[in-house]
Amino acid sequence: MSEVLLKVENLKKYFPLPGKILSSRKEAVRAVDGVSFQIRKGETLSLVGESGCGKTTAGKTILRLIEPTAGNVWLRDVNLAALDEKALRRIRKEMQIVFQDPYSSLNPRMTVDRIIGEALSIHRLATNKDREEKAVQVLEMVGLGADHLYRYPHEFSGGQRQRIGIARALAVNPELIVADEPISSLDVSIQAQIINLLEDLQKRLGLTYLFISHDLNVVAHISNHVGVMYLGKIVEMAPAQVLYQDPRHPYTQALLSSVPVADPTLKRQEIILEGEVPSPINPPPGCHFHPRCSHRKKECSSLEPSLQEIAPGHFVACLP
């Protein structure tokens, strides 16, 4: 079994809100509220959930693109949350991110060689003389070539831009890549190409992925493990095949019931959730999901469940 590359312990990110006049109470958006998981080297863990559940914030906080409120993030034996700015810069080349929107994540005033070469220069991984050669190497890894080197982002399609974003991440030889919904803004035909590219790169380079998505069909295809987030917390975590075959949390069951199936003769009863997602500023007491849960009990409104292992590697936060 491979070593644990990334370990997240009780990660929290609260965004404070301006206090109200004549009120001493300080409110905050609890975007990430005590998330813990680990990823083994060479594997993919996916975070899924409705928009606003905190999965993107979790990914950015792990990389310290957003500063955490509390918790620890271990990259092997280094606690990223405890590093100062200088030490963090030295280790940043070990972890990179592929952003959701390939249109806004690339500087429109920079050519491809400067976009990729910027990371090489910052981390002193290539001289000016070698920078172009290294840029061509990573472009070829993602299916582009030297003839794309001096073009600007607006000259490329969405799929090509995302390939450039992936090449930029690969340029510094990272071990961990956070892929933040990397295909959600692309055409369906292009989505499959990007997923296949990510899988091929993982096999060739031994990459480890934290994959953030709301597309449960894609997640089933690419993941080793899946964590389901609701209102800043992980409510279920399991190997991908186990989660899809035997979801235990009512929220996971509702999500999976809404996934379209290719066979029109196969009937699936969709679970319709009650109400709206509660506010992360003032989440419900007890189990945060209980106002929308059809299986709720009296104690669900007062007791907050913790993740419990119900089978090897299968964790669920739900009162028995």
Side-chain angles (χ1 to χ4, degrees):
M1 186 176 290
S2 58
E3 65 176 320
V4 174
L5 179 67
L6 181 73
K7 186 176 182 181
V8 179
E9 298 176 335
N10 198 31
L11 184 67
K12 296 181 180 181
K13 180 57 188 178
Y14 296 172
F15 294 97
L17 297 175
K20 296 180 180 178
I21 299 175
L22 303 179
S23 174
S24 60
R25 183 184 176 187
K26 294 183 178 179
E27 295 184 324
V29 177
R30 301 179 182 184
V32 180
D33 196 11
V35 166
S36 300
F37 59 82
Q38 63 183 30
I39 314 177
R40 294 190 175 275
K41 182 174 172 57
E43 294 189 348
T44 299
L45 182 142
S46 293
L47 292 180
V48 302
E50 294 171 288
S51 295
C53 70
K55 53 188 186 293
T56 290
T57 303
K60 291 182 178 180
T61 306
I62 286 168
L63 298 180
R64 280 188 60 183
L65 298 178
I66 301 173
E67 289 297 319
T69 302
N72 296 305
V73 179
W74 296 88
L75 188 67
R76 286 203 173 90
D77 57 349
V78 178
N79 187 358
L80 302 178
L83 297 181
D84 59 27
E85 187 175 338
K86 186 176 180 181
L88 182 62
R89 172 170 285 201
R90 285 198 299 266
I91 204 170
R92 278 212 182 275
K93 60 183 176 59
E94 305 294 334
M95 50 185 189
Q96 292 291 301
I97 187 169
V98 176
F99 292 99
Q100 175 179 357
D101 185 1
Y103 293 90
S104 62
S105 63
L106 301 178
N107 190 328
R109 298 188 178 186
M110 294 172 66
T111 56
V112 173
D113 81 305
R114 288 184 61 201
I115 289 171
I116 296 174
E118 185 177 39
L120 296 171
S121 299
I122 289 173
H123 295 286
R124 300 177 182 177
L125 297 177
T127 63
N128 289 336
K129 184 178 179 180
D130 298 332
R131 198 173 69 178
E132 180 177 320
E133 182 180 348
K134 280 191 169 286
V136 171
Q137 287 176 357
V138 292
L139 281 177
E140 290 176 345
M141 283 185 188
V142 301
L144 300 175
D147 55 321
H148 298 106
L149 206 56
Y150 298 106
R151 299 184 189 179
Y152 289 89
H154 72 269
E155 299 179 75
F156 296 93
S157 67
Q160 288 175 319
R161 292 188 198 197
Q162 197 60 290
R163 289 174 187 267
I164 294 168
I166 295 170
R168 177 176 58 185
L170 293 177
V172 294
N173 299 318
E175 290 192 274
L176 171 69
I177 289 182
V178 175
D180 181 17
E181 304 210 34
I183 62 170
S184 63
S185 61
L186 304 178
D187 292 341
V188 174
S189 59
I190 305 301
Q191 289 181 3
Q193 295 177 20
I194 298 300
I195 289 299
N196 290 337
L197 172 63
L198 290 172
E199 288 187 311
D200 179 59
L201 291 170
Q202 185 174 45
K203 292 175 184 176
R204 290 166 56 192
L205 305 176
L207 297 171
T208 303
Y209 293 145
L210 174 60
F211 191 84
I212 297 166
S213 180
H214 60 264
D215 190 326
L216 294 173
N217 281 324
V218 170
V219 166
H221 177 74
I222 199 173
S223 307
N224 298 100
H225 294 80
V226 179
V228 181
M229 288 189 68
Y230 183 79
L231 219 60
K233 295 180 179 290
I234 291 181
V235 297
E236 187 162 5
M237 175 86 70
Q241 187 174 6
V242 173
L243 187 90
Y244 279 76
Q245 291 181 352
D246 186 25
R248 294 297 186 89
H249 196 280
Y251 179 61
T252 310
Q253 294 169 357
L255 284 182
L256 293 179
S257 75
S258 66
V259 177
V261 291
D263 187 353
T265 64
L266 183 63
K267 299 295 182 182
R268 175 184 287 174
Q269 184 176 359
E270 184 175 354
I271 301 172
I272 306 297
L273 295 177
E274 304 175 9
E276 299 293 331
V277 180
S279 170
I281 300 173
N282 187 26
C287 173
H288 290 351
F289 184 64
H290 85 265
R292 306 176 72 195
C293 181
S294 59
H295 303 292
R296 61 180 175 266
K297 305 172 185 176
K298 184 178 179 181
E299 56 267 31
C300 293
S301 61
S302 57
L303 298 177
E304 184 175 347
S306 59
L307 278 174
Q308 300 293 328
E309 190 170 18
I310 60 170
H314 193 168
F315 297 84
V316 180
C318 188
L319 296 177

